[in-house]
Amino acid sequence: MIAFTAHHVSHDNLRFPVIEAGSGDPLVLLHGGGSRAAHFMPLMRELAPHLRVIAYDQRGFAANLVPTGGAIDHPHWATDLIGVLDALGIDRAPVLGWSLGCSVAINAAAAFPERIAALVLVGAPDPARPVAVEALRRRQAEYAALDEDELARRARADLAAQLAPDFADDAAILDALVADRMASSLRAQVAVIDAYATRPDLLAAARRVRAPAALVTGAHDRISPPEAGAAMAAALGTGPLRIVPDAGHYIAAERPAALAQAVLQGLAALKPAMEQSA
């Protein structure tokens, strides 16, 4: 049985909830929007026999509470990654980013090349395509008008539409995804959506990244479809995109074993480049 350790680290006057499992070389996991570190636990169970896997709630999400008026934006998400590495005593590590976490990882790798050994990007966006912030704001306004039960039902329906067909009615997965989303208050969700608009030019950042990278996406990902991952791979100058069949955007919940295999294969392929640049 895989043992998980939960603790906190401090950075920039915030408390970052951290989940760890396994031992050996570290791999830091960055969750996506509307999510939290706990989302990665099925994936961490698969990776822990091979690596020390570390996930944390990013600022503004779930238990990482930011005071009213406190900064939540892309520059802080990137520097937070370095702050967490410092707090854990890790000089350099590969980073797995999923969805929003891909943008955070890319910005951090561009700004702090000495700290990011490699990137594994899961469900990466097209770097030339802007975030649809206004559409997200409209959806959030609709959420704000619902009572708690209606909100949970609406969130469940929205999340089901982002899963692969085989998982669209999987109650266990949907329960977990709704819990992830509802772990953040509506106020925090609004602040995070506003923060999406602060994303720097991701195409320019990707072209500055010197860390080797591997990209993975689900064949049925509607938010970041395979062509978006291919565009990101081209911007980073990486090898071919790995596509996991029968998986949607929430690939770590849908197909954790298949994703873990793709991650381990990607890291193995990147190892010579990581060692050369160490």
Side-chain angles (χ1 to χ4, degrees):
M1 180 176 291
I2 300 299
F4 287 89
T5 301
H7 60 100
H8 291 78
V9 299
S10 297
H11 164 69
D12 197 26
N13 295 317
L14 296 177
R15 283 167 54 84
F16 288 74
V18 177
I19 302 171
E20 296 195 41
S23 61
D25 294 335
L27 173 66
V28 181
L29 314 179
L30 297 175
H31 64 76
S35 195
R36 55 180 173 170
H39 172 77
F40 284 124
M41 290 180 71
L43 176 62
M44 294 172 77
R45 289 189 184 94
E46 301 291 336
L47 292 174
H50 310 277
L51 299 163
R52 176 190 176 191
V53 278
I54 303 160
Y56 65 91
D57 289 353
Q58 298 193 71
R59 74 166 62 208
F61 291 93
N64 193 336
L65 304 179
V66 177
T68 300
I72 304 177
D73 54 35
H74 268 279
H76 280 88
W77 284 327
T79 56
D80 288 343
L81 170 58
I82 306 306
V84 170
L85 290 177
D86 288 342
L88 294 172
I90 298 173
D91 291 333
R92 186 170 178 265
V95 175
L96 182 153
W98 163 61
S99 196
L100 168 68
C102 293
S103 300
V104 176
I106 288 167
N107 289 329
F112 306 98
E114 73 284 359
R115 305 299 302 274
I116 310 302
L119 297 176
V120 179
L121 305 179
V122 181
D126 182 334
R129 183 176 179 180
V131 182
V133 176
E134 289 307 318
L136 292 171
R137 285 173 175 156
R138 288 193 297 271
R139 187 196 69 185
Q140 202 63 32
E142 294 172 1
Y143 281 5
L146 303 175
D147 65 29
E148 186 173 345
D149 290 340
E150 291 172 329
L151 176 59
R153 285 193 292 271
R154 169 66 187 275
R156 191 180 189 88
D158 288 349
L159 290 162
Q162 297 166 14
L163 297 172
D166 286 351
F167 299 101
D169 58 356
D170 189 307
I173 289 177
L174 286 167
D175 286 347
L177 295 181
V178 170
D180 288 344
R181 180 163 292 184
M182 302 290 279
S184 297
S185 69
L186 287 177
R187 180 190 69 82
Q189 292 178 37
V190 169
V192 164
I193 289 171
D194 289 342
Y196 293 163
T198 69
R199 192 181 79 180
D201 183 334
L202 195 57
L203 183 59
R207 288 172 173 166
R208 293 199 305 273
V209 169
R210 295 294 173 262
L215 279 85
V216 184
T217 195
H220 298 280
D221 192 328
R222 297 178 182 88
I223 294 177
S224 298
E227 53 266 31
M232 180 65 80
L236 290 165
T238 70
L241 172 72
R242 289 175 170 83
I243 299 177
V244 176
D246 302 320
H249 190 61
Y250 291 90
I251 184 171
E254 297 166 292
R255 300 288 308 279
L259 177 56
Q261 182 180 25
V263 169
L264 293 171
Q265 290 173 345
L267 288 172
L270 299 179
K271 188 173 182 180
M274 285 192 282
E275 292 176 343
Q276 186 176 16
S277 61

mmCIF file of all heavy atoms in Angstrom, residues 53-91:
data_model
loop_
_atom_site.group_PDB
_atom_site.id
_atom_site.type_symbol
_atom_site.label_atom_id
_atom_site.label_comp_id
_atom_site.label_asym_id
_atom_site.label_seq_id
_atom_site.Cartn_x
_atom_site.Cartn_y
_atom_site.Cartn_z
ATOM 1 N N VAL A 53 6.985 11.656 -5.408
ATOM 2 C CA VAL A 53 6.035 12.527 -6.091
ATOM 3 C C VAL A 53 5.449 13.519 -5.084
ATOM 4 O O VAL A 53 5.083 13.157 -3.964
ATOM 5 C CB VAL A 53 4.920 11.729 -6.795
ATOM 6 C CG1 VAL A 53 5.402 11.225 -8.127
ATOM 7 C CG2 VAL A 53 4.431 10.562 -5.947
ATOM 8 N N ILE A 54 5.383 14.766 -5.512
ATOM 9 C CA ILE A 54 5.010 15.882 -4.637
ATOM 10 C C ILE A 54 3.966 16.720 -5.357
ATOM 11 O O ILE A 54 4.168 17.125 -6.502
ATOM 12 C CB ILE A 54 6.240 16.764 -4.330
ATOM 13 C CG1 ILE A 54 7.368 15.935 -3.686
ATOM 14 C CG2 ILE A 54 5.853 17.950 -3.456
ATOM 15 C CD1 ILE A 54 8.734 16.585 -3.809
ATOM 16 N N ALA A 55 2.851 16.974 -4.693
ATOM 17 C CA ALA A 55 1.818 17.853 -5.251
ATOM 18 C C ALA A 55 1.431 18.861 -4.180
ATOM 19 O O ALA A 55 1.469 18.555 -2.987
ATOM 20 C CB ALA A 55 0.596 17.057 -5.691
ATOM 21 N N TYR A 56 1.050 20.060 -4.603
ATOM 22 C CA TYR A 56 0.624 21.074 -3.632
ATOM 23 C C TYR A 56 -0.530 21.882 -4.203
ATOM 24 O O TYR A 56 -0.691 21.994 -5.422
ATOM 25 C CB TYR A 56 1.790 21.985 -3.234
ATOM 26 C CG TYR A 56 2.360 22.857 -4.333
ATOM 27 C CD1 TYR A 56 1.868 24.145 -4.569
ATOM 28 C CD2 TYR A 56 3.412 22.414 -5.139
ATOM 29 C CE1 TYR A 56 2.394 24.957 -5.571
ATOM 30 C CE2 TYR A 56 3.953 23.209 -6.139
ATOM 31 C CZ TYR A 56 3.435 24.478 -6.346
ATOM 32 O OH TYR A 56 3.956 25.286 -7.339
ATOM 33 N N ASP A 57 -1.337 22.430 -3.286
ATOM 34 C CA ASP A 57 -2.410 23.339 -3.698
ATOM 35 C C ASP A 57 -1.780 24.672 -4.081
ATOM 36 O O ASP A 57 -1.114 25.320 -3.242
ATOM 37 C CB ASP A 57 -3.393 23.582 -2.539
ATOM 38 C CG ASP A 57 -4.257 22.374 -2.225
ATOM 39 O OD1 ASP A 57 -4.201 21.379 -2.971
ATOM 40 O OD2 ASP A 57 -4.987 22.429 -1.215
ATOM 41 N N GLN A 58 -1.986 25.092 -5.311
ATOM 42 C CA GLN A 58 -1.458 26.381 -5.731
ATOM 43 C C GLN A 58 -2.259 27.517 -5.091
ATOM 44 O O GLN A 58 -3.377 27.325 -4.618
ATOM 45 C CB GLN A 58 -1.508 26.481 -7.257
ATOM 46 C CG GLN A 58 -0.652 25.422 -7.948
ATOM 47 C CD GLN A 58 -0.454 25.711 -9.402
ATOM 48 O OE1 GLN A 58 0.261 26.650 -9.772
ATOM 49 N NE2 GLN A 58 -1.060 24.908 -10.255
ATOM 50 N N ARG A 59 -1.660 28.691 -5.055
ATOM 51 C CA ARG A 59 -2.313 29.813 -4.378
ATOM 52 C C ARG A 59 -3.680 30.101 -5.006
ATOM 53 O O ARG A 59 -3.844 30.096 -6.223
ATOM 54 C CB ARG A 59 -1.437 31.068 -4.359
ATOM 55 C CG ARG A 59 -1.300 31.807 -5.650
ATOM 56 C CD ARG A 59 -0.699 33.195 -5.424
ATOM 57 N NE ARG A 59 0.648 33.124 -4.869
ATOM 58 C CZ ARG A 59 1.195 34.068 -4.101
ATOM 59 N NH1 ARG A 59 0.532 35.169 -3.814
ATOM 60 N NH2 ARG A 59 2.419 33.931 -3.651
ATOM 61 N N GLY A 60 -4.668 30.301 -4.118
ATOM 62 C CA GLY A 60 -6.013 30.587 -4.564
ATOM 63 C C GLY A 60 -6.875 29.358 -4.759
ATOM 64 O O GLY A 60 -8.071 29.481 -5.042
ATOM 65 N N PHE A 61 -6.290 28.170 -4.600
ATOM 66 C CA PHE A 61 -7.034 26.930 -4.796
ATOM 67 C C PHE A 61 -7.190 26.173 -3.480
ATOM 68 O O PHE A 61 -6.253 26.086 -2.679
ATOM 69 C CB PHE A 61 -6.313 26.022 -5.798
ATOM 70 C CG PHE A 61 -6.322 26.528 -7.213
ATOM 71 C CD1 PHE A 61 -5.268 27.292 -7.690
ATOM 72 C CD2 PHE A 61 -7.377 26.246 -8.057
ATOM 73 C CE1 PHE A 61 -5.262 27.757 -8.999
ATOM 74 C CE2 PHE A 61 -7.385 26.704 -9.378
ATOM 75 C CZ PHE A 61 -6.324 27.462 -9.847
ATOM 76 N N ALA A 62 -8.381 25.595 -3.288
ATOM 77 C CA ALA A 62 -8.666 24.670 -2.189
ATOM 78 C C ALA A 62 -8.196 25.253 -0.854
ATOM 79 O O ALA A 62 -8.669 26.314 -0.442
ATOM 80 C CB ALA A 62 -8.037 23.312 -2.479
ATOM 81 N N ALA A 63 -7.259 24.575 -0.185
ATOM 82 C CA ALA A 63 -6.858 24.998 1.161
ATOM 83 C C ALA A 63 -5.767 26.064 1.170
ATOM 84 O O ALA A 63 -5.347 26.493 2.252
ATOM 85 C CB ALA A 63 -6.384 23.781 1.961
ATOM 86 N N ASN A 64 -5.302 26.492 -0.004
ATOM 87 C CA ASN A 64 -4.283 27.552 -0.052
ATOM 88 C C ASN A 64 -5.013 28.893 -0.137
ATOM 89 O O ASN A 64 -5.208 29.462 -1.217
ATOM 90 C CB ASN A 64 -3.350 27.354 -1.247
ATOM 91 C CG ASN A 64 -2.113 28.232 -1.162
ATOM 92 O OD1 ASN A 64 -2.117 29.268 -0.500
ATOM 93 N ND2 ASN A 64 -1.063 27.816 -1.831
ATOM 94 N N LEU A 65 -5.408 29.396 1.007
ATOM 95 C CA LEU A 65 -6.258 30.580 1.079
ATOM 96 C C LEU A 65 -5.425 31.850 0.957
ATOM 97 O O LEU A 65 -4.410 32.004 1.636
ATOM 98 C CB LEU A 65 -7.027 30.583 2.401
ATOM 99 C CG LEU A 65 -7.877 29.332 2.671
ATOM 100 C CD1 LEU A 65 -8.563 29.438 4.026
ATOM 101 C CD2 LEU A 65 -8.899 29.122 1.562
ATOM 102 N N VAL A 66 -5.875 32.737 0.105
ATOM 103 C CA VAL A 66 -5.212 34.026 -0.094
ATOM 104 C C VAL A 66 -6.125 35.106 0.484
ATOM 105 O O VAL A 66 -7.322 35.143 0.167
ATOM 106 C CB VAL A 66 -4.956 34.291 -1.587
ATOM 107 C CG1 VAL A 66 -4.334 35.659 -1.803
ATOM 108 C CG2 VAL A 66 -4.057 33.198 -2.167
ATOM 109 N N PRO A 67 -5.608 35.987 1.342
ATOM 110 C CA PRO A 67 -6.456 37.041 1.914
ATOM 111 C C PRO A 67 -7.092 37.904 0.822
ATOM 112 O O PRO A 67 -6.548 38.041 -0.280
ATOM 113 C CB PRO A 67 -5.487 37.862 2.765
ATOM 114 C CG PRO A 67 -4.331 36.956 3.034
ATOM 115 C CD PRO A 67 -4.224 36.062 1.837
ATOM 116 N N THR A 68 -8.246 38.467 1.121
ATOM 117 C CA THR A 68 -8.905 39.358 0.170
ATOM 118 C C THR A 68 -7.937 40.456 -0.262
ATOM 119 O O THR A 68 -7.302 41.102 0.570
ATOM 120 C CB THR A 68 -10.150 39.992 0.812
ATOM 121 O OG1 THR A 68 -11.047 38.951 1.200
ATOM 122 C CG2 THR A 68 -10.851 40.920 -0.174
ATOM 123 N N GLY A 69 -7.799 40.617 -1.570
ATOM 124 C CA GLY A 69 -6.860 41.602 -2.089
ATOM 125 C C GLY A 69 -5.463 41.067 -2.296
ATOM 126 O O GLY A 69 -4.608 41.757 -2.878
ATOM 127 N N GLY A 70 -5.190 39.829 -1.838
ATOM 128 C CA GLY A 70 -3.866 39.241 -2.035
ATOM 129 C C GLY A 70 -3.637 38.865 -3.481
ATOM 130 O O GLY A 70 -4.586 38.653 -4.247
ATOM 131 N N ALA A 71 -2.389 38.779 -3.867
ATOM 132 C CA ALA A 71 -2.035 38.538 -5.271
ATOM 133 C C ALA A 71 -2.322 37.101 -5.679
ATOM 134 O O ALA A 71 -1.903 36.152 -5.009
ATOM 135 C CB ALA A 71 -0.562 38.852 -5.495
ATOM 136 N N ILE A 72 -3.062 36.942 -6.774
ATOM 137 C CA ILE A 72 -3.231 35.657 -7.449
ATOM 138 C C ILE A 72 -3.051 35.943 -8.935
ATOM 139 O O ILE A 72 -3.878 36.618 -9.549
ATOM 140 C CB ILE A 72 -4.625 35.042 -7.203
ATOM 141 C CG1 ILE A 72 -4.913 34.887 -5.709
ATOM 142 C CG2 ILE A 72 -4.726 33.684 -7.899
ATOM 143 C CD1 ILE A 72 -6.312 34.358 -5.417
ATOM 144 N N ASP A 73 -1.961 35.472 -9.493
ATOM 145 C CA ASP A 73 -1.697 35.708 -10.914
ATOM 146 C C ASP A 73 -0.623 34.743 -11.404
ATOM 147 O O ASP A 73 -0.017 34.003 -10.618
ATOM 148 C CB ASP A 73 -1.282 37.167 -11.159
ATOM 149 C CG ASP A 73 -0.103 37.614 -10.310
ATOM 150 O OD1 ASP A 73 0.800 36.796 -10.047
ATOM 151 O OD2 ASP A 73 -0.085 38.790 -9.890
ATOM 152 N N HIS A 74 -0.415 34.746 -12.697
ATOM 153 C CA HIS A 74 0.547 33.818 -13.283
ATOM 154 C C HIS A 74 1.974 34.033 -12.786
ATOM 155 O O HIS A 74 2.671 33.044 -12.498
ATOM 156 C CB HIS A 74 0.490 33.900 -14.812
ATOM 157 C CG HIS A 74 -0.461 32.909 -15.411
ATOM 158 N ND1 HIS A 74 -0.149 31.587 -15.623
ATOM 159 C CD2 HIS A 74 -1.746 33.050 -15.823
ATOM 160 C CE1 HIS A 74 -1.175 30.956 -16.155
ATOM 161 N NE2 HIS A 74 -2.167 31.822 -16.285
ATOM 162 N N PRO A 75 2.462 35.272 -12.683
ATOM 163 C CA PRO A 75 3.824 35.431 -12.164
ATOM 164 C C PRO A 75 4.002 34.828 -10.773
ATOM 165 O O PRO A 75 5.029 34.186 -10.497
ATOM 166 C CB PRO A 75 4.018 36.952 -12.158
ATOM 167 C CG PRO A 75 3.134 37.437 -13.267
ATOM 168 C CD PRO A 75 1.919 36.557 -13.200
ATOM 169 N N HIS A 76 2.990 34.997 -9.891
ATOM 170 C CA HIS A 76 3.113 34.422 -8.553
ATOM 171 C C HIS A 76 3.021 32.900 -8.593
ATOM 172 O O HIS A 76 3.718 32.211 -7.837
ATOM 173 C CB HIS A 76 2.049 34.997 -7.621
ATOM 174 C CG HIS A 76 2.402 36.350 -7.080
ATOM 175 N ND1 HIS A 76 2.087 37.511 -7.745
ATOM 176 C CD2 HIS A 76 3.048 36.721 -5.952
ATOM 177 C CE1 HIS A 76 2.519 38.542 -7.045
ATOM 178 N NE2 HIS A 76 3.101 38.095 -5.960
ATOM 179 N N TRP A 77 2.161 32.339 -9.456
ATOM 180 C CA TRP A 77 2.108 30.877 -9.548
ATOM 181 C C TRP A 77 3.468 30.306 -9.937
ATOM 182 O O TRP A 77 3.881 29.257 -9.428
ATOM 183 C CB TRP A 77 1.044 30.450 -10.568
ATOM 184 C CG TRP A 77 -0.365 30.560 -10.068
ATOM 185 C CD1 TRP A 77 -0.800 30.374 -8.786
ATOM 186 C CD2 TRP A 77 -1.534 30.866 -10.840
ATOM 187 N NE1 TRP A 77 -2.167 30.548 -8.718
ATOM 188 C CE2 TRP A 77 -2.648 30.845 -9.957
ATOM 189 C CE3 TRP A 77 -1.748 31.140 -12.187
ATOM 190 C CZ2 TRP A 77 -3.946 31.096 -10.394
ATOM 191 C CZ3 TRP A 77 -3.046 31.394 -12.616
ATOM 192 C CH2 TRP A 77 -4.134 31.369 -11.730
ATOM 193 N N ALA A 78 4.180 30.985 -10.836
ATOM 194 C CA ALA A 78 5.496 30.497 -11.259
ATOM 195 C C ALA A 78 6.523 30.622 -10.142
ATOM 196 O O ALA A 78 7.288 29.682 -9.880
ATOM 197 C CB ALA A 78 5.961 31.256 -12.501
ATOM 198 N N THR A 79 6.557 31.769 -9.465
ATOM 199 C CA THR A 79 7.537 31.928 -8.383
ATOM 200 C C THR A 79 7.176 31.072 -7.172
ATOM 201 O O THR A 79 8.066 30.660 -6.423
ATOM 202 C CB THR A 79 7.667 33.400 -7.965
ATOM 203 O OG1 THR A 79 6.386 33.920 -7.601
ATOM 204 C CG2 THR A 79 8.241 34.236 -9.090
ATOM 205 N N ASP A 80 5.885 30.764 -7.000
ATOM 206 C CA ASP A 80 5.492 29.859 -5.919
ATOM 207 C C ASP A 80 6.135 28.482 -6.092
ATOM 208 O O ASP A 80 6.528 27.840 -5.103
ATOM 209 C CB ASP A 80 3.973 29.685 -5.881
ATOM 210 C CG ASP A 80 3.239 30.902 -5.368
ATOM 211 O OD1 ASP A 80 3.873 31.776 -4.744
ATOM 212 O OD2 ASP A 80 2.013 30.992 -5.597
ATOM 213 N N LEU A 81 6.220 28.008 -7.323
ATOM 214 C CA LEU A 81 6.856 26.715 -7.565
ATOM 215 C C LEU A 81 8.281 26.717 -7.044
ATOM 216 O O LEU A 81 8.718 25.766 -6.377
ATOM 217 C CB LEU A 81 6.827 26.393 -9.062
ATOM 218 C CG LEU A 81 7.654 25.188 -9.521
ATOM 219 C CD1 LEU A 81 7.228 23.912 -8.814
ATOM 220 C CD2 LEU A 81 7.545 25.020 -11.042
ATOM 221 N N ILE A 82 9.000 27.786 -7.317
ATOM 222 C CA ILE A 82 10.386 27.882 -6.829
ATOM 223 C C ILE A 82 10.396 27.981 -5.309
ATOM 224 O O ILE A 82 11.248 27.372 -4.637
ATOM 225 C CB ILE A 82 11.094 29.096 -7.468
ATOM 226 C CG1 ILE A 82 10.993 29.026 -9.002
ATOM 227 C CG2 ILE A 82 12.542 29.157 -7.018
ATOM 228 C CD1 ILE A 82 11.484 27.731 -9.612
ATOM 229 N N GLY A 83 9.445 28.729 -4.737
ATOM 230 C CA GLY A 83 9.365 28.837 -3.280
ATOM 231 C C GLY A 83 9.094 27.496 -2.616
ATOM 232 O O GLY A 83 9.649 27.192 -1.549
ATOM 233 N N VAL A 84 8.240 26.681 -3.222
ATOM 234 C CA VAL A 84 7.966 25.354 -2.679
ATOM 235 C C VAL A 84 9.202 24.466 -2.789
ATOM 236 O O VAL A 84 9.545 23.733 -1.844
ATOM 237 C CB VAL A 84 6.748 24.722 -3.385
ATOM 238 C CG1 VAL A 84 6.596 23.257 -2.999
ATOM 239 C CG2 VAL A 84 5.477 25.485 -3.033
ATOM 240 N N LEU A 85 9.898 24.514 -3.924
ATOM 241 C CA LEU A 85 11.144 23.758 -4.052
ATOM 242 C C LEU A 85 12.138 24.169 -2.963
ATOM 243 O O LEU A 85 12.779 23.315 -2.332
ATOM 244 C CB LEU A 85 11.770 23.983 -5.432
ATOM 245 C CG LEU A 85 11.057 23.362 -6.641
ATOM 246 C CD1 LEU A 85 11.780 23.760 -7.925
ATOM 247 C CD2 LEU A 85 10.966 21.857 -6.527
ATOM 248 N N ASP A 86 12.272 25.478 -2.730
ATOM 249 C CA ASP A 86 13.172 25.959 -1.688
ATOM 250 C C ASP A 86 12.769 25.404 -0.325
ATOM 251 O O ASP A 86 13.609 24.937 0.455
ATOM 252 C CB ASP A 86 13.174 27.488 -1.636
ATOM 253 C CG ASP A 86 13.889 28.124 -2.825
ATOM 254 O OD1 ASP A 86 14.667 27.427 -3.502
ATOM 255 O OD2 ASP A 86 13.659 29.331 -3.070
ATOM 256 N N ALA A 87 11.473 25.481 -0.024
ATOM 257 C CA ALA A 87 10.995 25.038 1.284
ATOM 258 C C ALA A 87 11.208 23.543 1.487
ATOM 259 O O ALA A 87 11.401 23.086 2.626
ATOM 260 C CB ALA A 87 9.517 25.385 1.440
ATOM 261 N N LEU A 88 11.186 22.779 0.395
ATOM 262 C CA LEU A 88 11.399 21.335 0.488
ATOM 263 C C LEU A 88 12.872 20.953 0.371
ATOM 264 O O LEU A 88 13.211 19.767 0.433
ATOM 265 C CB LEU A 88 10.603 20.634 -0.613
ATOM 266 C CG LEU A 88 9.074 20.728 -0.499
ATOM 267 C CD1 LEU A 88 8.417 20.152 -1.755
ATOM 268 C CD2 LEU A 88 8.563 20.002 0.729
ATOM 269 N N GLY A 89 13.744 21.930 0.168
ATOM 270 C CA GLY A 89 15.170 21.653 0.055
ATOM 271 C C GLY A 89 15.551 20.982 -1.251
ATOM 272 O O GLY A 89 16.536 20.235 -1.311
ATOM 273 N N ILE A 90 14.796 21.248 -2.313
ATOM 274 C CA ILE A 90 15.050 20.647 -3.627
ATOM 275 C C ILE A 90 15.665 21.704 -4.538
ATOM 276 O O ILE A 90 15.044 22.721 -4.828
ATOM 277 C CB ILE A 90 13.744 20.109 -4.244
ATOM 278 C CG1 ILE A 90 13.153 19.007 -3.353
ATOM 279 C CG2 ILE A 90 13.997 19.587 -5.658
ATOM 280 C CD1 ILE A 90 11.780 18.549 -3.792
ATOM 281 N N ASP A 91 16.884 21.464 -4.980
ATOM 282 C CA ASP A 91 17.566 22.440 -5.834
ATOM 283 C C ASP A 91 17.035 22.434 -7.260
ATOM 284 O O ASP A 91 16.918 23.492 -7.891
ATOM 285 C CB ASP A 91 19.071 22.157 -5.858
ATOM 286 C CG ASP A 91 19.742 22.446 -4.526
ATOM 287 O OD1 ASP A 91 19.230 23.305 -3.785
ATOM 288 O OD2 ASP A 91 20.768 21.792 -4.220
#
